[in-house]
């Protein structure tokens, strides 16, 4: 939700309070007052987009091995919640279609990161992701497609130019004007540790929406709002929303 002039978005749902990138986590973000979530999609063996961050299932399930080399039927057997807390044992890895339905149910908008672990497959991955969203019929006014991968964003522009695009940056900020000439970006999504007031002004003066990740300190919301940050992506959206209201 907006607090002052900044939007607080849930990172992988609300990963501080529920197992990340599960539908339970998305619901927790909505219950906390978030109206946007940032989440990750990649392909499984069947070329179906699923919602999980890592290349491997090991960290966030009771399984092992790469997401890309498991069929959906096998991924669905995995427990994606117990690693976080026993009460979440029923959580599974959602498909992108299930996520879209959940976001409709909970009134959530989506910043969907195309998580590229295999750069040679980037065009295939973007195409399958876009096909899935189009087949579902999700409202594109409630969607941003983003990626760390320059090529993924480029393919988003080529395959679905009407949808807003964001480039995620974690180390250094390239020449925004030159970058934008190639990608026609809506937003820049920056590691908040990189941001200073001068850089924030440069990005917003270029006409780009500025989002930062992953910022969990309620004390810093005012500062980033003053700097022109549009969206703060947080593991605990409820904490930042309640703190900013006080």
């Amino acid at each position: 939700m907006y607090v002052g002039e900044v939007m607080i978005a849930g990172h992988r749902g609300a990963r501080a309070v529920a197992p990340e990138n599960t539908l339970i986590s998305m619901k927790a973000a909505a219950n906390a007052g978030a109206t946007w979530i940032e989440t990750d999609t990649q392909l499984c063996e069947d070329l179906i987009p699923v919602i999980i961050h890592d290349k491997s299932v090991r960290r966030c399930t009771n399984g092992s091995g790469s997401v890309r080399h498991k069929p959906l039927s096998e991924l669905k057997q995995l427990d994606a919640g117990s690693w976080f807390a026993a009460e979440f044992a029923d959580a599974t890895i959602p498909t992108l279609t299930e996520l879209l339905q959940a976001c409709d149910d909970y009134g959530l908008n989506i910043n969907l990161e195309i998580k590229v672990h295999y750069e040679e497959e980037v065009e295939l991955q973007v195409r399958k992701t876009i096909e899935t969203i189009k087949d579902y019929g999700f409202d594109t006014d409630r969607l941003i497609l983003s990626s760390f991968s320059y090529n993924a964003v480029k393919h988003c522009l080529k395959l679905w130019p009407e949808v807003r695009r964001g480039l995620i940056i974690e180390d250094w900020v390239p020449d925004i004007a030159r970058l934008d000439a190639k990608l026609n970006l809506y937003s820049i999504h920056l590691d908040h540790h990189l941001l200073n007031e001068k850089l924030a002004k440069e990005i917003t003066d270029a006409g780009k929406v500025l989002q930062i990740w992953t910022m969990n300190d309620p004390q810093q919301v005012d500062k980033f709002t003053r700097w022109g940050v549009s969206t703060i992506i947080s593991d605990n959206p409820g904490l930042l929303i309640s703190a900013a209201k006080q």
Side-chain angles (χ1 to χ4, degrees):
M1 68 171 289
Y2 280 107
V3 179
E5 295 179 357
V6 73
M7 174 75 75
I8 307 296
H11 184 223
R12 305 180 199 167
R15 71 188 290 258
V17 299
E20 65 179 62
N21 283 339
T22 61
L23 300 185
I24 296 167
S25 191
M26 306 308 161
K27 187 175 185 180
N31 288 346
T35 54
W36 277 87
I37 50 107
E38 188 276 348
T39 189
D40 313 278
T41 190
Q42 58 180 295
L43 298 179
C44 68
E45 188 176 77
D46 310 313
L47 304 184
I48 295 167
V50 292
I51 305 302
I52 185 170
H53 176 276
D54 296 5
K55 187 175 185 177
S56 164
V57 300
R58 181 180 295 277
R59 180 174 63 89
C60 291
T61 77
N62 61 338
S64 61
S66 76
V67 176
R68 181 67 183 85
H69 298 108
K70 290 184 184 297
L72 183 62
S73 58
E74 186 176 336
L75 291 175
K76 280 294 186 184
Q77 297 303 311
L78 299 176
D79 170 355
S82 290
W83 66 274
F84 188 90
E87 68 197 86
F88 298 116
D90 292 339
T92 60
I93 296 171
T95 64
L96 175 54
T97 300
E98 289 169 338
L99 173 81
L100 297 171
Q101 181 63 62
C103 287
D104 273 347
D105 292 345
Y106 305 144
L108 290 167
N109 306 283
I110 310 173
N111 170 6
L112 184 65
E113 179 187 341
I114 296 170
K115 181 59 74 176
V116 177
H117 294 299
Y118 303 90
E119 193 69 40
E120 68 278 8
E121 292 189 350
V122 69
E123 194 273 342
L124 171 68
Q125 185 179 353
V126 170
R127 184 159 44 80
K128 290 294 184 183
T129 301
I130 289 173
E131 284 173 4
T132 300
I133 299 168
K134 284 183 171 180
D135 286 348
Y136 177 86
F138 194 77
D139 181 358
T140 54
D141 289 340
R142 296 167 49 211
L143 178 67
I144 297 171
L145 295 177
S146 61
S147 189
F148 284 99
S149 165
Y150 175 98
N151 285 329
V153 178
K154 187 174 70 176
H155 283 297
C156 288
L157 172 60
K158 177 183 167 189
L159 295 172
W160 207 5
E162 301 84 1
V163 172
R164 296 173 292 183
R165 290 165 302 284
L167 184 70
I168 312 172
I169 297 171
E170 67 178 335
D171 39 26
W172 61 282
V173 180
D175 181 319
I176 293 165
R178 185 180 301 175
L179 189 71
D180 198 45
K182 300 271 202 307
L183 298 178
N184 192 14
L185 294 170
Y186 167 76
S187 51
I188 301 280
H189 305 189
L190 196 67
D191 180 341
H192 79 277
H193 295 102
L194 283 180
L195 193 64
N196 55 49
E197 193 167 7
K198 178 174 177 289
L199 179 55
K201 186 174 189 306
E202 182 185 337
I203 292 169
T204 54
D205 282 355
K208 301 300 133 192
V209 168
L210 175 56
Q211 304 202 7
I212 58 169
W213 53 272
T214 304
M215 210 291 288
N216 298 319
D217 181 0
Q219 307 288 324
Q220 296 197 63
V221 171
D222 283 348
K223 176 186 76 175
F224 286 121
T225 305
R226 286 197 312 273
W227 288 0
V229 169
S230 164
T231 300
I232 295 172
I233 299 168
S234 176
D235 293 329
N236 195 341
L239 177 67
L240 265 62
I241 290 167
S242 59
K245 281 179 175 175
Q246 291 171 6

